[in-house]
Amino acid sequence: MWWLDNLPQSRSHTVTGILLKLKLHWQILIAMILGAAAGSLFGDNAVFSGTVDKVATVFMRLLRMVIVPLIFTSIVTGVAGIGDPKSLGRLGLKTLLYYLATSFFAALVGLGLVNIIQPGVGVEIPELSGERPEELDNVATSLTDVIINMVPTNPVQAAADFDILGLIFFSIFLGAAMATMQNAAGERLRSFFGAAFEAMMVMTGFVLRVLPIGVFALIAAAISKMGFGVFNQIGQYMLTIAIGLTLHTFVVLPLLFFVLTKRNPLDHYRAMAPAMAMAFSTSSSSATLPATIKCLRENVGVSNKTTSFVIPMGATINMDGTALYECAGALFIAQALGIQMSFTQQIVIVITALLVSIGAASIPSAGLVMIFIVLEAVGLTDPAAYALVGLMLAVDRPLDMYRTMVNITSDSIGAAVIGDSEGEELNYDKDSD
Ligand code: ASP
């Protein structure tokens, strides 16, 4: 009836209807803009910031809830389905090569930019407390520890402790064992894990439906908490990192993708947009894992065999954004302290940055905490260096958001490139989302 359409209430229904009909990546973009606007307008209001904080926490918990069973079932199913150990080795080698190469390129981008822009020159060193900033006291373990701890003594505990590398190790092992069981028991196990994985993907789908709400709350909460005070002081440093991350994500990685797959990188970015937005708002590669897997499977068409092998591992050890950040951050500190780094020292920084990015946990701010290892490698252990890290901590959130997005973008390109090289049909023409 015509009069029904003209009621104000029905108009608002139309707006909601239009919003809901938009593709997921548009909904997320709108949620981001609204979240940023609401965060800056009402950030000081305790009721508002308290509410968005709670919604953001529930959303993060929902995401974390699916991660362990998703990683477990997807890797076991993927590896058990590979069958031939030779093809598992080939996949592993390609994955490792891709991870090392892209993280190395990223560290080089960071190195080049800091040398050109010189953001550290003239930075005022904050009052020295003579100690490491408190938040950074729990500095991560060394790389050797990371490798040793990859082998869990108790897989159930690894899962409960959210020890992702330990979980990956056990899952690959179990999947490989199942692949050798060419009997009825093996068949039953494979179909059980396959079905469990499918159920986890359905659950992930449900979580993704509320993604715009989660993104809104996460961005609003992050903006409410950000300390803008020190932005002027190290704005140039932030800009340098942002330029580096942009160059790596929108020039280096797309070029690599194009050269290796002969496909339009824009299609890939459009297909991965929901996962990229999720990485940006959560600052955590592991919290983004379910979205990364889902986008790759459904919007890109990469097989479960490849995705389950490349992505959980990638989210944990392939961090291009973090490698770039470690390298640029350490050089920035040296510049601010007026210390000239020799060519050899710069090479040491690149290599340590690469190793540290492998060892960094896939959680917010992990990269910043790991910078001490890079600093130690080149003898930057002065209290003034720690004071500068404290300054970097104050502005870390936006940089962490961006570098996490770069980290998962590189993982996803890796999965697509490796899938393509394995003869899989990438299917970007499908209507994304
Ligand atoms: N937050 C990043 C990630 O989860 C790690 C980092 O802090 O660099 O990928």
Side-chain angles (χ1 to χ4, degrees):
M1 268 176 259
W2 66 269
W3 55 269
L4 249 182
D5 287 343
N6 290 332
L7 284 179
Q9 190 195 9
S10 66
R11 245 182 249 136
S12 79
H13 270 306
T14 321
V15 174
T16 324
I18 290 173
L19 277 179
L20 285 176
K21 268 193 207 120
L22 283 177
K23 290 244 174 94
L24 185 58
H25 52 259
W26 290 117
Q27 289 182 15
I28 293 169
L29 190 70
I30 293 171
M32 276 179 160
I33 296 169
L34 292 180
S40 31
L41 286 177
F42 313 116
D44 292 338
N45 183 307
V47 178
F48 175 80
S49 55
T51 312
V52 284
D53 223 26
K54 283 189 192 86
V55 177
T57 309
V58 171
F59 183 65
M60 285 300 277
R61 290 179 71 104
L62 206 56
L63 284 175
R64 287 172 71 91
M65 182 182 77
V66 259
I67 294 168
V68 168
L70 181 67
I71 292 182
F72 183 50
T73 52
S74 91
I75 298 184
V76 172
T77 316
V79 174
I82 293 178
D84 169 22
K86 249 198 233 141
S87 94
L88 183 64
R90 194 183 56 227
L91 209 58
L93 201 66
K94 282 185 192 170
T95 310
L96 209 64
L97 256 177
Y98 172 87
Y99 287 167
L100 287 178
T102 53
S103 299
F104 181 66
F105 290 152
L108 285 186
V109 171
L111 180 93
L113 277 181
V114 178
N115 277 308
I116 295 168
I117 302 178
Q118 308 256 330
V121 176
V123 167
E124 248 175 69
I125 304 194
E127 288 270 305
L128 298 185
S129 65
E131 282 167 20
R132 291 175 177 193
E134 224 177 84
E135 294 91 325
L136 304 175
D137 256 358
N138 57 342
V139 177
T141 45
S142 73
L143 199 72
T144 342
D145 287 343
V146 171
I147 295 170
I148 293 174
N149 292 339
M150 257 174 93
V151 185
T153 48
N154 177 349
V156 179
Q157 191 177 8
D161 291 347
F162 223 76
D163 163 16
I164 305 286
L165 278 183
L167 187 65
I168 291 177
F169 185 89
F170 177 74
S171 312
I172 293 180
F173 211 156
L174 177 62
M178 273 163 53
T180 64
M181 295 169 61
Q182 293 308 328
N183 53 14
E187 197 41 57
R188 269 201 301 277
L189 274 175
R190 281 188 290 275
S191 79
F192 167 77
F193 274 98
F197 171 57
E198 232 178 274
M200 291 320 301
M201 289 302 283
V202 174
M203 277 176 82
T204 305
F206 287 142
V207 178
L208 287 193
R209 282 210 201 140
V210 291
L211 184 59
I213 299 171
V215 166
F216 170 86
L218 281 161
I219 298 271
I223 297 261
S224 312
K225 276 188 217 141
M226 260 178 216
F228 289 94
V230 282
F231 273 28
N232 304 342
Q233 240 175 307
I234 54 169
Q236 224 184 345
Y237 147 81
M238 296 182 70
L239 199 68
T240 309
I241 305 265
I243 294 174
L245 293 174
T246 307
L247 273 177
H248 189 71
T249 320
F250 297 105
V251 180
V252 178
L253 288 178
L255 260 177
L256 192 74
F257 176 80
F258 177 72
V259 169
L260 295 175
T261 66
K262 303 281 173 302
R263 282 176 170 275
N264 184 353
L266 278 180
D267 288 341
H268 183 83
Y269 282 67
R270 206 183 39 210
M272 291 307 299
M276 286 166 79
M278 178 157 335
F280 188 80
S281 22
T282 60
S283 288
S284 165
S285 301
S286 56
T288 312
L289 238 165
T292 317
I293 292 182
K294 195 156 172 74
C295 288
L296 276 167
R297 293 283 317 277
E298 287 170 15
N299 302 347
V300 181
V302 182
S303 74
N304 178 38
K305 179 188 99 178
T306 307
T307 312
S308 69
F309 194 77
V310 178
I311 292 305
M313 194 105 78
T316 327
I317 64 174
N318 179 45
M319 298 195 180
D320 293 10
T322 308
L324 188 150
Y325 178 80
E326 302 297 334
C327 189
L331 278 175
F332 160 78
I333 291 179
Q335 267 174 12
L337 296 177
I339 298 170
Q340 192 66 42
M341 287 276 132
S342 67
F343 180 70
T344 327
Q345 277 174 310
Q346 299 212 13
I347 300 287
V348 171
I349 291 188
V350 170
I351 294 173
T352 335
L354 185 71
L355 295 179
V356 156
S357 74
I358 295 174
S362 44
I363 54 170
S365 279
L368 182 70
V369 176
M370 296 292 268
I371 206 163
F372 287 114
I373 298 178
V374 186
L375 295 178
E376 252 155 54
V378 283
L380 287 174
T381 47
D382 205 271
Y386 297 155
L388 281 164
V389 178
L391 205 60
M392 287 154 74
L393 176 72
V395 293
D396 192 49
R397 183 66 192 197
L399 296 178
D400 192 11
M401 292 161 92
Y402 200 178
R403 65 178 185 257
T404 308
M405 189 188 98
V406 178
N407 291 346
I408 77 101
T409 306
S410 171
D411 299 342
S412 75
I413 289 192
V417 163
I418 292 168
D420 184 69
S421 78
E422 290 282 304
E424 287 170 22
E425 184 72 41
L426 302 186
N427 191 1
Y428 288 107
D429 307 326
K430 255 194 308 181
D431 208 14
S432 309
D433 307 335

